[in-house]
Amino acid sequence: MNVFVAVVAIVVLAGLGFFLVLTVTETGRLLRRRHEPPVDEPGDAATQELRLRYARGEISREEYLQRRIDLEEF
């Protein structure tokens, strides 16, 4: 009986230790990520340029919508 209790205690403590390490690691990673500048996706510059061209009236609404769909596929 005492051996069983000891084994259960060891398993529970190991699980709690694992949970604690995982929690600290993930919290640190989230805090670091919060301070990093956002990474621009390749389509962001193209999408921004497309919006500017549409806003300036250089392309029609239909062309804007089609090109936006095309860019979202990448």
Side-chain angles (χ1 to χ4, degrees):
M1 183 74 172
N2 287 337
V3 173
F4 176 73
V5 172
V7 169
V8 169
I10 290 172
V11 169
V12 168
L13 288 175
L16 287 174
F18 176 75
F19 179 73
L20 179 64
V21 168
L22 184 66
T23 302
V24 169
T25 303
E26 289 299 313
T27 301
R29 189 162 50 125
L30 288 173
L31 289 175
R32 272 194 316 269
R33 186 181 306 161
R34 202 172 78 186
H35 295 292
E36 293 176 357
V39 177
D40 289 336
E41 294 183 13
D44 285 348
T47 303
Q48 186 176 7
E49 180 63 29
L50 180 64
R51 287 184 189 138
L52 290 173
R53 289 189 64 200
Y54 179 62
R56 290 189 296 247
E58 295 176 6
I59 58 175
S60 68
R61 183 174 193 277
E62 292 78 19
E63 187 175 0
Y64 167 77
L65 293 174
Q66 182 58 51
R67 288 185 183 202
R68 192 179 75 185
I69 290 169
D70 293 342
L71 287 173
E72 288 174 355
E73 290 177 0
F74 291 104

